[in-house]
Structure formats: C-alpha cells, structure tokens
Amino acid sequence: MRQDGLGIDVLVVGDGVLGRSIAYALASADTGLEVMLCGRSGPAASSAAGAMLGVLGEVTDTSLSRPHSVLRLQMAVEAASRWPSWREGIREQAAATTPDGDGYGQGTFILLNAVSARLDEKAFAAVQSAGGRYGLPVEHVDPLEIPGYRPLDNDRALQALYLSAEGFLDVRRWLATLDAALNALPNVILTGDGSLSATTRGYQLHHAGGAVTAPVAVVAVGAWTNPVLTALDPDVHVLPVLSVEGTAFTAAAPARLSAVLRTPNRAYACGLHTVPRTDGTWYIGASAAPALAPGSAPTAGSLRFLLESALGQLHHGLATSAVHQIHHGNRPIGLDGHPLLGPTARPGLWVAAGTHRDGLHTSPLIAQEITAAILHGRPSRWLAPWCPDRAPITDWSREDAAREAAGHHHALTAESRMRPPLTGNWPDALQHAYQHRMNEVYAAMPADYVLPPDLAPLGYEHQDALAALAREYLQHSPVPSTDGKRTAHMPVDL
C-alpha cells in the first residue's frame, strides 16, 4: 500500500486504547503495512479507566428507546462477541513479553440501593429488558449474598442482578499487553509525543526522532481531537469533541472481590462501581463532570462525593483502607453525545474519538472496522452512523431532553442525601425549579441543536460558550435535507 518516498503507510496519533488497538489491527492484517503509533500527553481516559467490558451494565431506559442509543447498545453486543478472539490474538502476539495476566474476569452485580431515585429504577428495569432482547444472562440475586459487599444499612441494596457474561480487565495490564503485542510486530514503530501536519504528500508527523510522512493518518486523541485537527488543517470541520472529566481511586481491599459491583448508570455519570485489580486492590469510580476542554486534575468535590458514596454504598470497611492512587481522566464525547468514527472529508484523514465510556469495550470492533475500511475501502455498517462531519444527531426533542435533564438533577439530590424542608412543599418546588432551569438552558441553544441530557450541566455552567460552539459548527455541518431538518448519516438496517 505504501507509496514510494512516503516512508510509512499509516500514522496513528494517540496511544490510548483506541489508538493502540487500531495500530495493532492495521499492522497485524497480513498486508505488510507499516504503521507508526504516536503518543499523546495529557490525562486521557484509558489509563484512568475501570476497564469494565460492559454491555448490559451500561444500559439505561434511553438505551432501548432512542434510535442512536439502540445502535450504541448493538455495537456493545457485537463488540462482546469479538472480545474472546481479539484478546486471544493479542495475548498470543505478546507471547513471553506479556505481563502475568491482564486481570480478565467475568461477573457483574447491579445494585439498586436505597440512595437512588426513579432514574435508577428505570435503568435497573432496562437492564433486565435488554438481557431478554439480546439473549444475555440476567439473574436476580439476594443482595445479602453478594461476596465483598458490605454497605451501610441506610444505603443497602433493595434489589440486585447478576450479569454472569459481563467482563472486566485490569487496564494497566491490558495496555501493557497491547504494547507487548505491538513491539512484537516488525512493521510497527512506536514513538513518543509528536505533532501532525498536512503536506502535499499526505500527513507528516514531527517527533523527537525526526519526521515521517504517510498517505493516511488516524487521529485517536480523545478529548484533544479538535485542537489537533485545527492545527493540522483549519478547514477540517468535524463535530466538536468535549470532555467528561472522571475521578477514581485505587484502595487496599477491605474484602475479597472476584466480580464487579456497581449501581445502574446514574445522573450524568456511569454508576458507582468497584473493579478487582490484579494486585488485590479495589478500583473505585467514578465521578463525571462535563467540560468544554480536558482538565488536568481532580477536584476536591469529586473526591469527596466519590469517597462518601463508596463508603456508604459499597463497603464501609473502606474507611480504614489505604488509598494507593487517585486517577483522573478525560472521557471524550461528541457534542451530540455520540462518537466520531470514520473518514473525514479530507482524503486519508480518519478520526476515532468521542466514545465516552464505550472506548475500551468497543475497541476490537472499532479497530477491525476502521482497518477493513482503510485497507479495502469496505463501508462499515457499524461506523456509518458516526461520520465525524455529520450534522448533530437529535434523537431528543428539546422538551423531552429538558425533562430528562431535570430528572437527572432530581436524582442527584437523592444520591447526595439532600434533605429539603417539608414546609411549603419544598421537595416539589425543587423539582419545578430544576425543570424551569433546564427549560432556560435548552432555550438558549441554537435551534438546530438539542443538548444531550448527559451534558446538561454545560448548558448553565458555560452557556454562552457552548451555544457559540454549537452555532459555529452548525454553520459548517451538512446541508439540511429537503424537509428543512438537518440529518445525520444513518446506517443500513442492523
């Protein structure tokens, strides 16, 4: 595939789990393709992840009711079917240089506990429905019999589900295994940080060892996508990628744990969860704070919230556990709440970003589909909905999105144990206030943009900047269809 004088076939920029996986899929495709993988500095999502390979564990009621959320769930189901052979191939390639195990295990307990609201109940029911729809095992269990689970009485689970097919990894070990597999391939060059630029011959990567040019570049830098692309070519317009900052910590285990413990996905975040690590510690996460740009460190408030939640809802023995490490990462998410996967309008330039919490789990699917498309020009039904320069996806009406966002705020008051006075009907008054505030937020956005409920805090924390960002992108997004509504790229029937 390489053209004479260009030096390399494909540049992959970004060494998170997606970048590493794409580089591996390209280089192991038996085509003689030469690939360079370039790192990217900054607190990315991969190294801070809890590494749950979740399908049902990530389900909410909107996963079953919104068209593009259904597509995301279908991608998760398909990715789960690819993980066994994907993992086996990478571990075989890594051979003797691989670490002792990658922390892989199976089993997830979903806890519907007392510190919750209607939002949790709807997600809990949706997990059961999705299990039936896709033929995945879901079992009701007695919360008192869950190994390693010892909450405070006020926070205990009222119901619990066991998902025996849900997997998990130790992310540090998995990234090391990927590196070992890449190092074992003779047609892969690994380099540190670098900068990407456009040339008349393709794309040039400037790094400490010099400069390399290739006809194809894959940008997989997560929450740093837009500044990298703007520096490459200001005329490249893709959907803005935002950040959802996440905080987690690793602590000495208060009890033996062999499966994931988690609550359903909650307001603006994944559920509270703990994942067993290969060194015997517990990984506990995770907060979620939407931001316009990546952040560099956790906040005191996010740590406080996470610690209090873990001590009450998971195991009160954590109070005396040594904290080994605090993790901070930036989960990438598209402006419309969905990923950016596929080619841009600029020849040879591909993007893989915006996967939010799905990046690790869907990495085999994304890497294999992008590789097939680059090598063979094969259109992918899995990538088609997520064209990077699409018009923003709008599965929500403005009214429904504002109502859902208000419900998320109400759920946060329950988890935070907020106790409003009972005089003057304050509980209802608060809920009405949330709805009023969300209505104001959504009214301030451009007419052709519906803010995803998961990103609603950005609407009042950075209202003017967010509205300007959406408005600027809409000026360059695809032309409206004949009915006057902007349309996203839609897939073939799955």
Side-chain angles (χ1 to χ4, degrees):
M1 180 176 174
R2 187 177 65 189
Q3 301 173 23
D4 291 342
L6 289 181
I8 210 82
D9 291 306
V10 183
L11 296 170
V12 180
V13 183
D15 61 353
V17 70
L18 274 186
R20 283 172 162 108
S21 299
I22 291 167
Y24 174 80
L26 286 164
S28 61
D30 294 328
T31 60
L33 203 70
E34 293 195 65
V35 179
M36 174 173 277
L37 175 63
C38 168
R40 178 73 185 175
S41 61
S46 296
S47 57
M52 294 179 289
L53 306 180
V55 180
L56 299 181
E58 292 293 311
V59 165
T60 67
D61 67 316
T62 60
S63 302
L64 304 178
S65 60
R66 306 290 165 177
H68 287 82
S69 297
V70 172
L71 293 176
R72 298 279 294 276
L73 176 55
Q74 291 173 337
M75 283 184 69
V77 172
E78 174 66 17
S81 72
R82 300 191 188 194
W83 256 103
S85 60
W86 173 255
R87 176 173 171 259
E88 180 182 354
I90 289 173
R91 286 173 57 79
E92 182 179 344
Q93 184 68 56
T97 57
T98 189
D100 294 333
D102 53 17
Y104 179 79
Q106 283 187 304
T108 293
F109 291 96
I110 305 282
L111 310 168
L112 180 62
N113 62 35
V115 189
S116 62
R118 178 63 179 149
L119 200 70
D120 278 26
E121 294 175 12
K122 290 162 67 177
F124 192 81
V127 168
Q128 299 173 77
S129 296
R133 179 180 297 186
Y134 295 102
L136 299 172
V138 178
E139 177 188 357
H140 278 270
V141 295
D142 184 346
L144 294 176
E145 296 180 1
I146 297 175
Y149 176 57
R150 204 170 99 196
L152 294 176
D153 285 344
N154 287 346
D155 299 353
R156 69 188 184 279
L158 309 175
Q159 298 183 60
L161 299 173
Y162 181 56
L163 314 177
S164 59
E166 300 279 279
F168 58 89
L169 290 163
D170 184 325
V171 72
R172 299 167 303 171
R173 294 291 183 91
W174 181 243
L175 292 176
T177 302
L178 271 171
D179 283 346
L182 288 165
N183 278 310
L185 290 168
N187 53 331
V188 176
I189 301 171
L190 305 178
T191 185
D193 290 353
S195 60
L196 190 66
S197 61
T199 74
T200 56
R201 301 196 307 174
Y203 301 93
Q204 190 167 69
L205 181 71
H206 302 265
H207 60 99
V212 175
T213 307
V216 176
V218 181
V219 175
V221 294
W224 288 266
T225 296
N226 294 103
V228 167
L229 293 180
T230 299
L232 170 73
D233 182 350
D235 291 328
V236 172
H237 293 282
V238 303
L239 190 76
V241 178
L242 309 177
S243 171
V244 179
E245 294 185 65
T247 299
F249 68 94
T250 305
R256 185 179 179 278
L257 196 66
S258 58
V260 171
L261 307 181
R262 64 166 298 163
T263 62
N265 272 356
R266 281 181 165 167
Y268 304 123
C270 55
L272 174 70
H273 56 269
T274 181
V275 184
R277 306 292 286 266
T278 52
D279 60 4
T281 59
W282 283 19
Y283 171 98
I284 298 169
S287 66
L292 293 176
S296 59
T299 64
S302 62
L303 279 172
R304 175 195 171 188
F305 182 75
L306 186 59
L307 286 165
E308 288 182 347
S309 297
L311 294 177
Q313 299 177 47
L314 295 175
H315 200 299
H316 56 78
L318 284 165
T320 56
S321 294
V323 174
H324 289 206
Q325 186 176 359
I326 295 173
H327 309 276
H328 178 75
N330 291 273
R331 308 179 190 95
I333 185 170
L335 183 68
D336 59 7
H338 296 291
L340 288 68
L341 303 170
T344 68
R346 200 179 200 285
L349 182 62
W350 294 66
V351 173
T355 49
H356 198 199
R357 297 188 300 267
D358 303 338
L360 175 66
H361 177 63
T362 56
S363 57
L365 172 63
I366 292 170
Q368 290 168 347
E369 294 297 306
I370 284 181
T371 293
I374 289 175
L375 294 182
H376 311 298
R378 183 186 306 158
S380 170
R381 63 180 184 175
W382 299 109
L383 303 183
W386 322 118
C387 181
D389 58 359
R390 65 179 180 264
I393 292 168
T394 54
D395 283 348
W396 294 87
S397 70
R398 181 166 291 189
E399 294 74 17
D400 285 348
R403 190 178 303 110
E404 179 77 5
H408 281 229
H409 274 69
H410 176 66
L412 276 172
T413 65
E415 190 176 5
S416 301
R417 297 180 178 83
M418 186 173 179
R419 293 173 59 86
L422 299 180
T423 57
N425 200 17
W426 268 100
D428 286 351
L430 280 174
Q431 193 162 354
H432 293 154
Y434 291 143
Q435 186 64 63
H436 178 72
R437 187 69 183 101
M438 290 301 102
N439 290 342
E440 290 181 331
V441 165
Y442 279 82
M445 295 297 113
D448 290 331
Y449 173 61
V450 178
L451 178 66
D454 283 352
L455 296 179
L458 284 179
Y460 52 82
E461 292 172 353
H462 305 283
Q463 180 172 297
D464 293 343
L466 179 63
L469 181 67
R471 192 174 295 112
E472 193 277 335
Y473 179 69
L474 286 166
Q475 292 173 357
H476 299 93
S477 65
V479 178
S481 62
T482 54
D483 63 2
K485 296 180 180 179
R486 296 183 181 273
T487 57
H489 296 261
M490 289 302 294
V492 297
D493 184 18
L494 295 177

